[in-house]
Amino acid sequence: MEELLEELLEECRPYTQQGNVATYIPELAKGDPNDLGIYVLRSDGRHYQAGDYKKCFTIQSVVKPILLLLALLDNGEEYVRARVGVEATGKPFDAINVTDQTLLSEHLNPMVNMGAIAMCTLIKGSDYNERFQRLLELTRTLAGNPNIGINEDVFLSEKRTGNKNRALAFLLKNYNIIQDDVEDVLDCYFKACSISVNSKDLANIGFTLASRGKHPQTDERLYPSQYAHYVNAILTTCGMYDGSGEFAVNVGVPAKSGVGGGIMAVVPTRMGIGIFSPGLDAKGNSLAGIQVLQRLAKRMYLSIF
Ligand code: GLU
């Protein structure tokens, strides 16, 4: 298996040069386009890795499924679903999903920015600092890595330049979907996106979704299996933004991408996969990362369809 991973990385290395590192968050422009790494954790406990799997990057949108899990744990499914819908938007991650109609909670999806910003308000805590700390704790638990923290430079860079997200948050407030102070909510969202992880962390987190809520090492139940079903379904329909349909056909597993270059893939009952390569395609998904996953899915019959 390790040989297969090495082989796939070599085969896909040329694709690292075809993507573009995100620059709209200035700090992300420092990413090295040559990086490519993968970590696979299987249900029998064995793990396989290749390339730059130890290299840290910011989690960006791969935090959205974790945010959703915490919102579900804090409030239950009915409450969350009434506030952030589940229909795929078919739109880019930062789309302003509103026309002249009233914006309703069913127009939101937890895997795109507007829905994720709304979800920050569903996390329990006396203030947004505590809410973020609880999200960080859950991330550490799911990854089995107590050392996970945030990349302060990326956080400050996005806080300084994230005016599109500011616009999205003000729209949510205008339509009374969120009530709290926009800057407090955004600080929580930007910090969430700035959590620093590596491919192994993403594979471990993905594994908990593959095993319907069980801890990768201890078999301990971390969250109810119905929440894994809920999150995996949304990952399948909207985890790769407006590239989700193509990804479902070409790869066929629940997955979430982030503009830091990470992809977390979930192969139900079989494995969690973490991939990192910062060159992105036009939709904001890791270009070489998708190529690797496509080949791995074919070689190992991973598609759930
Ligand atoms: N922090 C990023 C943003 O809000 C996350 C986007 C992404 O990873 O797709 O723009």
Side-chain angles (χ1 to χ4, degrees), residues 24-25 59-62 64 93-94 113 158 165 189-190 193 241 256-260 284:
Y24 78 101
I25 300 171
I59 194 166
Q60 299 299 336
S61 279
V62 188
K64 287 169 178 157
F93 64 90
D94 58 350
N113 291 11
E158 189 168 5
N165 284 320
Y189 173 75
F190 292 148
C193 294
Y241 310 120
K256 185 73 205 83
S257 61
V259 294

Side-chain angles (χ1 to χ4, degrees), residues 67-220:
L67 244 167
L68 176 56
L69 278 172
L70 187 52
L72 288 166
L73 284 166
D74 278 356
N75 307 283
E77 189 177 320
E78 208 182 315
Y79 186 93
V80 173
R81 200 163 171 168
R83 281 155 188 84
V84 179
V86 296
E87 290 309 326
T89 63
K91 298 212 170 103
F93 64 90
D94 58 350
I96 296 201
N97 195 15
V98 63
T99 54
D100 288 335
Q101 297 159 283
T102 308
L103 180 68
L104 301 172
S105 43
E106 62 242 47
H107 299 147
L108 304 180
N109 182 292
M111 294 306 135
V112 292
N113 291 11
M114 211 174 206
I117 293 167
M119 276 196 307
C120 290
T121 69
L122 303 183
I123 295 172
K124 297 232 160 94
S126 54
D127 58 22
Y128 276 88
N129 213 16
E130 190 184 331
R131 292 174 201 228
F132 171 71
Q133 281 308 321
R134 292 189 59 245
L135 178 71
L136 183 61
E137 263 329 306
L138 180 62
T139 308
R140 288 171 174 160
T141 305
L142 299 182
N145 178 1
N147 299 319
I148 291 177
I150 78 162
N151 180 325
E152 195 72 22
D153 293 338
V154 173
F155 163 62
L156 292 173
S157 181
E158 189 168 5
K159 182 176 165 68
R160 190 164 47 78
T161 58
N163 290 320
K164 180 105 185 251
N165 284 320
R166 223 159 248 123
L168 296 176
F170 274 112
L171 268 172
L172 289 167
K173 184 143 180 163
N174 178 65
Y175 287 102
N176 211 26
I177 294 175
I178 68 172
Q179 287 82 35
D180 295 339
D181 180 77
V182 160
E183 286 305 324
D184 287 349
V185 178
L186 283 174
D187 271 359
C188 178
Y189 173 75
F190 292 148
K191 275 187 198 158
C193 294
S194 305
I195 292 174
S196 182
V197 289
N198 59 28
S199 305
K200 177 179 178 181
D201 296 324
L202 293 191
N204 281 341
I205 298 166
F207 183 89
T208 71
L209 287 163
S211 63
R212 316 272 201 261
K214 295 255 188 77
H215 191 284
Q217 279 92 34
T218 63
D219 227 31
E220 175 202 351

